[in-house]
Amino acid sequence: MKKLQISAVVLLLLTGAPAAFSQETTECFESRKGASEVTQKEVSPGLPNVKCSPRTGGVLWWGDPYDGTQPMGEMPIEADYSHGEAVVKPRESKLKLMALCGVACHNGVFPPVPKDKNPRALNMHKDVVPDSLNLQHGRGGIWCLDCHHTTTRNKLVDNFGNEISFNQPQKLCGKCHGQIYRGWREGMHGKRIGEWASDGKKRWFVCTECHNPHDVQQGDRNSGFAQLRPERAPILPKGIYNTDHEGHHGSSDHQDDEAAKH
Amino acid sequence: MSENTIPVVELSDQSPCGGESVGQWDPNAQDDRSLDSPSRRTFVQNSAAGMSAASLMGTAALVTGSDDADANTTWAEHFQGNYRLMSDEEKAEALDRLEKRYSLEYEKDVTVDGTEAADNVLFGYALNIKKCIGCRRCVKACVQENNQTRGDEQEIEWIRVLKMEKGEFTQEKLKDGYPGEVGIQVGGNAYGAVGVVLEGEHYYEPDKVPEQDSHYMPIACMQCEKPPCVKVCPVRTTYREADGPVVIDYNWCIGCRMCIGACPYWARRFNWGEPKLPKEEMNPDTHYLGNRPRMKGVVEKCTFCIQRTRQGRYPACVEVCPVGARKFGNLLDPNSEVRRVLATKRVFRLKAELNTYPKFFYYVD
């Protein structure tokens, strides 16, 4: 029975992958590359949902900032944001194995619930957590099941063992990062698009749309945000052929070089 | 010196509009001055005085001897007044003319908005300089939104991002910037002597940003409350709108570039050549004072995306910033994001010593 389930999953994965490649679509990312992808389409005649950078694949412009969103629901709000309309883009549709993980592999019986909290090497999910023994989050202080629900693996978990939806990662992240969470609720930390008015309709970006929870330290960089490829530099003014002048402001050596050229 | 010669900018400090205060500058008014100085514009004003723009269109058809709508609209456009001094009807006609011309030119339904400033709104901007990663997506989003000229020949970008060295008080650097054996040092700063200071790179091109030991400083128009560019404009085509942004009536701009010289923030750009804007890339939602297509020989600048913000939407650069470093809102609303930044963060304004009173604030967490 178990084998049957696994082979079904493998079959699904195999058949699903080529179908995705065969479609001629433009995919670009909104904030975090690899986790906030959006497919370009028309929301009304002549109006694309997003315009993308041909160089980096990043979204540069939203035709409809609320496309694909849903109400944030019981958003934990303080202050005056309560009378503004808040929407979020559901995260679950972005997670590749989400539809299967809670029913097939992690159905509460198979694989068995871990007996202790000693991290062990994962044979699966190396695409998500390349080095599971060296999780880049929490500096050794946390492990998988501090965030993921023990038995219901398509949910996250709060401090009391209750389920948290993947669509509301802020409730999980706020367990430890209270200061940041407060800043986010107040509209300071993070990103919103839509209307500027404090009581306007905004699409709020949730934690995992910008931060990779499995690699939040980014190694030596010790930064929550992964490095990105930058957009093209401005073109040089006419008559200037390189950028050697930058970084040599007022340097007498450089001025001599310039003089020698003319 | 009579009251008539008070510059507009000083008046605008008291009344945000300033428009009504400059009646004596009405170019459509027929007065003795126009007879004394027979310039091109005053000649036209004399011949057009008392006529409505509609009858001017008729004149245009007679003068050009053609029924070609394009030629006639251009003619009428050429002789329209300073946007600030136009009546509501004249403004409506001007917007209509432009919509027709742009729609023909770009082969899509172009709207030219003329929405005025809302009451009790003063736009302000805040940028978290510690968060910025220098990815330049704001720069390119601005170009997508604001119909700047693009291509290899001429490229206009309203935002520039400077890469800067991270300052540090290390033992080796402590003595930099202090005079050695040669006497008194002029220039430089606390971390670097004058000859070796890395002031900022515009053209950095690494594979990935942010780079080690670098921070980034995006600069665009600061929308000063006392804008030096407005003070120097000889034709008063650039002015501060009631909700804060400093705007330009491109049609009235003579291209003297005095404002570019006056701006301490390098915020203004000049269309040296005929602007190139591909039809398919043109953003059809425009505002007269904002992102409508410009012509050769006029100055342009950031308007806080007036075509978006007057309709309630965030500016394009705020929305695109992948790290959420950019905040925008109403300075008169205590609950707005920008007011919260001012209330809770450490804030500075660029070149505050110049008393330009920018409405663009840099902050750190």
Side-chain angles (χ1 to χ4, degrees), chain B residues 197-247:
Chain B
V197 176
L198 184 66
E199 284 176 334
E201 290 180 39
H202 294 78
Y203 303 102
Y204 62 90
E205 276 279 28
D207 289 337
K208 299 265 183 184
V209 288
E211 294 164 273
Q212 197 85 38
D213 299 326
S214 301
H215 74 87
Y216 300 87
M217 176 118 184
I219 302 174
C221 177
M222 301 285 153
Q223 316 294 0
C224 310
E225 282 293 277
K226 290 188 158 201
C229 52
V230 168
K231 286 183 193 170
V232 298
C233 180
V235 290
R236 299 189 175 185
T237 189
T238 186
Y239 58 98
R240 177 192 174 281
E241 279 278 287
D243 52 359
V246 174
V247 295

Side-chain angles (χ1 to χ4, degrees), chain A residues 18-249:
Chain A
F21 283 111
S22 64
Q23 284 171 339
E24 282 289 324
T25 49
T26 310
E27 270 222 333
C28 28
F29 68 99
E30 292 185 315
S31 183
R32 174 180 146 210
K33 200 165 187 174
S36 59
E37 263 61 12
V38 56
T39 308
Q40 207 172 25
K41 61 171 193 222
E42 278 199 342
V43 283
S44 64
L47 181 72
N49 60 339
V50 288
K51 287 185 190 171
C52 307
S53 160
R55 177 179 156 123
T56 64
V59 171
L60 291 181
W61 189 89
W62 278 268
D64 176 8
Y66 315 120
D67 182 45
T69 58
Q70 63 186 41
M72 198 186 279
E74 44 163 48
M75 188 174 102
I77 290 180
E78 287 176 345
D80 285 336
Y81 285 86
S82 49
H83 51 268
E85 195 180 343
V87 296
V88 290
K89 213 171 204 178
R91 295 290 304 148
E92 290 185 348
S93 56
K94 306 278 179 203
L95 306 172
K96 277 175 264 172
L97 294 171
M98 189 69 197
L100 298 167
C101 66
V103 288
C105 301
H106 301 289
N107 57 3
V109 182
F110 176 85
V113 178
K115 291 185 182 67
D116 56 49
K117 285 197 167 192
N118 288 325
R120 59 184 172 82
L122 288 181
N123 291 323
M124 305 288 281
H125 303 319
K126 286 196 172 155
D127 55 332
V128 184
V129 195
D131 184 0
S132 60
L133 281 177
N134 188 19
L135 178 70
Q136 288 287 301
H137 190 166
R139 298 175 208 286
I142 60 169
W143 79 309
C144 314
L145 298 186
D146 283 327
C147 299
H148 294 274
H149 198 278
T150 316
T151 50
T152 322
R153 289 294 168 83
N154 52 5
K155 298 284 179 195
L156 302 166
V157 67
D158 73 6
N159 281 335
F160 304 99
N162 300 322
E163 293 171 1
I164 298 174
S165 161
F166 272 91
N167 292 336
Q168 295 179 307
Q170 67 273 16
K171 291 186 172 178
L172 171 72
C173 305
K175 291 193 328 189
C176 298
H177 305 283
Q179 194 85 356
I180 305 284
Y181 183 36
R182 194 174 309 136
W184 180 80
R185 282 193 305 206
E186 287 171 354
M188 291 286 91
H189 181 97
K191 167 170 174 161
R192 280 142 213 92
I193 63 176
E195 294 171 0
W196 52 260
S198 54
D199 56 355
K201 181 179 181 183
K202 296 182 202 321
R203 174 187 159 195
W204 292 55
F205 280 63
V206 298
C207 316
T208 50
E209 279 177 278
C210 303
H211 305 288
N212 180 351
H214 298 120
D215 186 14
V216 85
Q217 284 161 218
Q218 294 284 312
D220 294 339
R221 291 189 55 242
N222 196 20
S223 158
F225 199 85
Q227 284 177 302
L228 288 178
R229 186 170 180 219
E231 297 292 336
R232 190 170 55 78
I235 59 170
L236 287 161
K238 282 209 173 71
I240 295 185
Y241 303 103
N242 60 46
T243 58
D244 291 352
H245 61 287
E246 292 196 327
H248 291 280
H249 284 279

Side-chain angles (χ1 to χ4, degrees), chain B residues 99-341:
Chain B
E99 278 184 356
K100 281 189 185 128
R101 184 159 71 78
Y102 292 147
S103 298
L104 273 176
E105 194 177 337
Y106 294 96
E107 294 169 5
K108 53 172 102 173
D109 279 340
V110 179
T111 55
V112 182
D113 186 21
T115 307
E116 304 281 341
D119 289 338
N120 296 319
V121 172
L122 183 65
F123 290 132
Y125 206 117
L127 192 150
N128 190 336
I129 197 166
K130 214 172 150 189
K131 288 256 173 74
C132 176
I133 59 169
C135 66
R136 293 203 189 95
R137 267 164 82 175
C138 49
V139 180
K140 304 298 174 190
C142 174
V143 172
Q144 291 285 338
E145 172 67 28
N146 287 300
N147 290 329
Q148 287 98 326
T149 177
R150 56 204 74 176
D152 298 332
E153 267 293 294
Q154 183 188 219
E155 185 186 68
I156 289 184
E157 289 171 349
W158 290 350
I159 306 174
R160 76 175 80 217
V161 185
L162 291 179
K163 179 184 134 184
M164 288 171 168
E165 205 180 5
K166 260 188 185 156
E168 51 175 348
F169 289 100
T170 56
Q171 193 62 43
E172 311 87 72
K173 287 194 172 185
L174 271 182
K175 285 193 173 157
D176 282 1
Y178 288 92
E181 294 159 8
V182 287
I184 298 163
Q185 184 210 332
V186 286
N189 60 29
Y191 333 122
V194 67
V196 293
V197 176
L198 184 66
E199 284 176 334
E201 290 180 39
H202 294 78
Y203 303 102
Y204 62 90
E205 276 279 28
D207 289 337
K208 299 265 183 184
V209 288
E211 294 164 273
Q212 197 85 38
D213 299 326
S214 301
H215 74 87
Y216 300 87
M217 176 118 184
I219 302 174
C221 177
M222 301 285 153
Q223 316 294 0
C224 310
E225 282 293 277
K226 290 188 158 201
C229 52
V230 168
K231 286 183 193 170
V232 298
C233 180
V235 290
R236 299 189 175 185
T237 189
T238 186
Y239 58 98
R240 177 192 174 281
E241 279 278 287
D243 52 359
V246 174
V247 295
I248 302 167
D249 176 5
Y250 309 113
N251 278 56
W252 203 249
C253 175
I254 59 171
C256 70
R257 312 196 303 284
M258 293 277 280
C259 52
I260 297 181
C263 175
Y265 304 105
W266 313 330
R268 289 172 165 256
R269 306 285 182 274
F270 187 65
N271 285 280
W272 287 98
E274 205 60 58
K276 285 201 185 69
L277 174 60
K279 285 172 186 153
E280 63 279 6
E281 290 180 29
M282 192 257 179
N283 177 9
D285 297 324
T286 71
H287 192 284
Y288 184 92
L289 299 169
N291 64 339
R292 70 186 168 103
R294 274 77 67 183
M295 41 289 209
K296 181 179 173 180
V298 301
V299 173
E300 58 182 74
K301 63 179 281 297
C302 163
T303 61
F304 278 168
C305 281
I306 197 165
Q307 67 283 353
R308 291 166 70 103
T309 49
R310 288 247 170 111
Q311 306 296 333
R313 185 91 182 263
Y314 276 121
C317 50
V318 173
E319 291 203 345
V320 82
C321 181
V323 294
R326 292 169 169 270
K327 305 288 168 202
F328 180 83
N330 182 2
L331 282 168
L332 305 180
D333 172 6
N335 295 319
S336 68
E337 289 169 21
V338 66
R339 277 288 292 274
R340 270 165 204 268
V341 168

Side-chain angles (χ1 to χ4, degrees), chain B residues 51-61 72 75-76 89-90 93-94 97:
Chain B
M51 294 182 195
S52 72
S55 65
L56 192 61
M57 296 272 286
T59 322
N72 291 337
W75 174 267
E89 298 86 61
E90 283 170 334
E93 278 170 18
R97 265 201 305 272

